[in-house]
């Protein structure tokens, strides 16, 4: 079992629709969860962080965390063509006074105009 | 406020050579992590430096080594390069928080090609 799993996609949604991206993780002790957006040929850009169960909203983005189910999701409302990118789920695993961040392989999102 | 910077942007090496990549963290950050990203994959954690020491390490061989300087900047060294080391190398910086949030911000990356 991979430590962080995402559907590779591609996920295709029409402009203005809601895009739903999902992620599961294996380490029950994980406390910090992140979503990054990565455009082709660029480095990852942090768009959301979430640490507690429930929803966290920031503009058109909503992150949802369910630690009991070991599940993290990202909703993008009113999707725009500029949202077309790969979305990476990342989980911090604490150990030995530090942490290491494990990334999923990413989900490619296409927003059709 | 300067973000994370990396140098060089691109690098071409041949098998068996050695390479050094450099990273300057975002202002105010004290922790630097290095990642390797192959095409179509998520970033893979190499190691993390804090207070000039390696605190965490991923599943990478000893050919991969690093260093952190007193000004928090960092280097990644790779010896005896293999074709499979061709990838985008990413540096991310963060600030150690008591609550463990540790949001990381990435530099633009160094594209390494091994021929």
């Amino acid at each position: 079992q991979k430590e962080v799993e995402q559907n590779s996609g591609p996920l295709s949604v029409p402009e203005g629709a809601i895009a739903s991206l999902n992620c599961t993780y294996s380490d029950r002790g994980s406390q910090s969860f992140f979503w990054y957006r990565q455009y082709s040929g660029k480095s990852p850009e942090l768009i959301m962080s979430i640490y507690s169960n429930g929803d966290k909203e920031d503009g058109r983005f909503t992150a949802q965390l369910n630690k009991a189910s070991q599940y993290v999701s990202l909703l993008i409302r009113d999707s725009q063509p500029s949202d077309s990118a790969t979305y990476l789920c990342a989980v911090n695993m604490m150990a030995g006074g530090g942490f290491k961040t494990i990334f999923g392989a990413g989900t490619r999102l296409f927003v059709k105009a | 406020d300067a973000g994370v910077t990396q140098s060089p942007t691109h690098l071409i090496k041949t098998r068996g050579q050695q390479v050094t990549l450099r990273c300057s963290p975002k202002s105010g950050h004290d922790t630097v992590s290095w990642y390797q990203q192959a095409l179509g994959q998520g970033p893979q954690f190499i190691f993390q430096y804090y207070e000039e020491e390696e605190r965490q390490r991923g599943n990478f061989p000893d050919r991969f080594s690093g260093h952190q300087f007193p000004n928090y900047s960092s280097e990644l060294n790779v010896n005896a390069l293999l074709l499979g080391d061709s990838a985008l190398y990413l540096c991310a910086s963060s600030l150690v928080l008591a609550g463990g949030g540790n949001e990381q911000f990435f530099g633009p990356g160094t594209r390494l090609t091994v021929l």
Side-chain angles (χ1 to χ4, degrees):
Chain A
Q1 181 188 7
K2 291 183 180 178
E3 293 176 289
V4 178
E5 294 202 62
Q6 299 179 251
N7 289 327
S8 60
L11 173 65
S12 184
V13 300
E15 183 175 0
I18 295 175
S20 178
L21 305 164
N22 304 314
C23 171
T24 58
Y25 60 95
S26 61
D27 181 12
R28 285 196 168 274
S30 298
Q31 297 294 321
S32 305
F33 307 86
F34 308 92
W35 284 98
Y36 286 84
R37 177 175 63 198
Q38 187 172 27
Y39 293 112
S40 181
K42 302 295 185 181
S43 62
E45 173 192 8
L46 179 67
I47 54 173
M48 288 290 286
S49 58
I50 187 167
Y51 310 115
S52 304
N53 280 329
D55 295 359
K56 179 182 178 182
E57 185 175 320
D58 184 0
R60 296 187 296 113
F61 299 99
T62 298
Q64 298 174 316
L65 173 61
N66 184 327
K67 290 184 180 179
S69 300
Q70 295 173 247
Y71 176 88
V72 191
S73 66
L74 179 69
L75 299 178
I76 305 175
R77 290 181 300 281
D78 188 25
S79 295
Q80 301 297 309
S82 58
D83 294 327
S84 297
T86 296
Y87 288 80
L88 297 163
C89 173
V91 177
N92 272 8
M93 299 183 182
M94 308 299 291
F99 67 92
K100 60 178 182 178
T101 304
I102 306 301
F103 282 81
T107 298
R108 294 183 66 189
L109 172 67
F110 290 105
V111 181
K112 299 173 293 185
Chain B
D1 180 21
V4 181
T5 61
Q6 291 186 246
S7 63
T9 305
H10 295 87
L11 205 50
I12 299 175
K13 292 286 188 178
T14 57
R15 281 177 297 174
Q17 286 189 311
Q18 178 265 343
V19 68
T20 297
L21 310 181
R22 296 177 175 83
C23 171
S24 290
K26 181 179 170 67
S27 178
H29 284 184
D30 57 8
T31 300
V32 172
S33 301
W34 286 93
Y35 296 85
Q36 180 194 67
Q37 187 175 26
L39 204 59
Q41 301 296 319
Q44 299 293 310
F45 177 79
I46 302 175
F47 42 53
Q48 180 185 91
Y49 278 86
Y50 171 69
E51 293 187 337
E52 302 179 50
E53 291 189 357
E54 183 183 290
R55 288 207 305 175
Q56 291 289 330
R57 189 177 183 92
N59 296 324
F60 280 81
D62 292 345
R63 298 187 297 110
F64 290 77
S65 63
H67 188 78
Q68 186 179 36
F69 300 94
N71 66 353
Y72 307 117
S73 67
S74 177
E75 289 182 349
L76 164 65
N77 300 293
V78 187
N79 294 323
L81 285 167
L82 303 174
L83 295 179
D85 295 332
S86 295
L88 179 67
Y89 287 85
L90 295 162
C91 166
S93 74
S94 58
L95 178 64
V96 173
L97 299 174
N102 305 117
E103 292 182 343
Q104 295 180 79
F105 297 86
F106 283 87
T110 295
R111 173 72 62 186
L112 173 65
T113 302
V114 182
L115 302 177

